[in-house]
Amino acid sequence: MNAVRFEDIEKRFDGVVALRALNLMAPSEKFLALLGPSGCGKTTALRITAGLEAPTGGRVFIGDRDVTRLQPRDRDVAMVFQSYALYPHMTIRENIGYPLWIRDVPESERRQKVDAVAKSLEVDHLLERRPRQLSGGQRQRIALARAIVRNPAAFLMDEPLSNLDARLRLTMRGEIKRLCHRLGATTIYVTHDQAEAMTMADLVAVMGSGSLQQVAPPEQIYDFPANRFVAMFVGNPPMNVLKVDVAGPAMIIAGMPIKASAQLIAACRQGNAVELGIRAEDVDIVAGAERGSIPGEVYVVEPMGSETLIDIRLGDERITARVGRGFRAAPGSRINVSFDPDDACFFDASGVTVVHRAQSKGGKTHDHKIRS
Ligand code: ATP
């Protein structure tokens, strides 16, 4: 009912193109994360939705309404900022109730609504304090309470957790996710933190240089990135990218012939693949120089507690393998890696994914999805 839709949105600031041909929808009651590096246009897209910025071209819809030319107050959206933007001279009760007060909601109804929202966010004991008497996490909760109190058509959140410490960020991201689902609210959430986007969102829209790169559920973004940019932006560590030569009968990776099906090689050739992408957890460390493995040198070993990341040099390329806890190897020691090319995706020279990883593996059938 309250989907938010961008239709051919373009935004220029003097010479800078902040957004180009943005076509994107946050479906009703879903949580959409706008994810991308600094300067890719995320905040601009959010501000255009809120009416704080006018697009140079295109239209914005909330539900069936074209809101492109409407004033912010007529759009029925609530924004939560990184800076909380609470009024320091007002009590918490007055801050939460502010959106109701400016809409002339009677005092008794206001009190009732503020009490209910404060209780649901467990901040009811803070209502008579002022913002300076609260911690960062508490202030962010108040900013959320203020957004929720008038039941808007959509929530727009701009890096709302950036000012919190790492532990509180983790707690709050779970809480915001639960809250948005409970309220059935359409949410657009801007972040450059891929862990936040992947854990919170129903849909992740990856942006790069003012353009939408891919929009899909988090698992799909991770497993089937549309291009090299998405592959390397999403995932920690980022996807490994290696040069590949598919001109001959075998697939050549880091100078070694690697076993791959004729079907996969043909698909890569057809798509003019020049690189492959492989996730760290799909890379194995093998004992000795097994056939089909690639020799390398340990650069650094990073124990992460539950797992270990090993950064390995393969000639002038590098690859990261994710292995079990307790793995040990001295920097500079020789090591062999292997992986199944069916677990890889393949990019052409422009970085577009031309062959996706096999969706199901087993027997001799390899169900690769090839870009049409
Ligand atoms: P960040 O994560 O750093 O906030 P972002 O992805 O949200 O980045 P935007 O703030 O949307 O990016 O900015 C997109 C581009 O538009 C940037 O190049 C930025 O410098 C430019 N830009 C944004 N606002 C203005 C403005 N008011 N005047 C001129 N250029 C602007």
Side-chain angles (χ1 to χ4, degrees), residues 13 16 18 37-44 159:
F13 293 103
V16 181
S38 184
C40 72
K42 313 177 291 289
T43 297
T44 302
E159 310 245 10

Side-chain angles (χ1 to χ4, degrees), residues 11-19 34-47 53 82 158-159 190-192 207 210:
K11 179 67 184 177
R12 289 171 185 272
F13 293 103
D14 306 321
V16 181
V17 182
L19 289 173
L34 276 185
L35 172 68
S38 184
C40 72
K42 313 177 291 289
T43 297
T44 302
L46 205 68
R47 289 173 58 81
E53 206 78 72
Q82 175 181 347
D158 192 358
E159 310 245 10
V190 160
T191 181
H192 63 267
M207 312 258 309

Side-chain angles (χ1 to χ4, degrees), residues 212-330:
L212 179 64
Q213 305 289 318
Q214 183 172 13
V215 55
E219 313 78 48
Q220 215 174 317
I221 294 270
Y222 188 81
D223 286 336
F224 305 107
N227 56 38
R228 192 182 196 277
F229 177 88
V230 175
M232 297 204 65
F233 193 75
V234 172
N236 188 16
M239 192 178 256
N240 295 295
V241 175
L242 300 171
K243 289 191 203 78
V244 63
D245 180 349
V246 290
M251 192 174 273
I252 310 289
I253 303 165
M256 300 296 289
I258 300 297
K259 196 160 168 262
S261 68
Q263 205 185 341
L264 176 58
I265 293 180
C268 290
R269 230 178 261 159
Q270 191 191 333
N272 296 318
V274 296
E275 287 177 321
L276 67 77
I278 184 93
R279 292 276 176 212
E281 56 273 29
D282 294 324
V283 178
D284 295 319
I285 303 298
V286 293
E290 268 178 26
R291 205 160 156 257
S293 70
I294 309 170
E297 185 182 308
V298 174
Y299 188 71
V300 68
V301 176
E302 296 178 292
M304 310 284 288
S306 61
E307 61 186 26
T308 307
L309 297 179
I310 319 166
D311 187 358
I312 301 155
R313 296 294 141 114
L314 308 174
D316 58 1
E317 298 190 281
R318 53 181 284 194
I319 194 167
T320 303
R322 193 194 296 276
V323 297
R325 65 200 292 182
F327 180 92
R328 283 192 180 75

Side-chain angles (χ1 to χ4, degrees), residues 95-137:
N95 265 287
I96 298 177
Y98 185 75
L100 303 177
W101 182 75
I102 51 169
R103 283 171 182 76
D104 294 327
V105 173
E107 218 266 305
S108 61
E109 187 182 335
R110 221 161 62 216
R111 174 163 279 275
Q112 193 191 345
K113 287 193 165 157
V114 170
D115 283 340
V117 166
K119 196 158 191 282
S120 79
L121 281 174
E122 298 173 20
V123 291
D124 38 344
H125 59 297
L126 305 173
L127 286 174
E128 303 318 320
R129 294 198 198 169
R130 310 235 172 224
R132 66 170 183 281
Q133 297 168 303
L134 305 189
S135 70

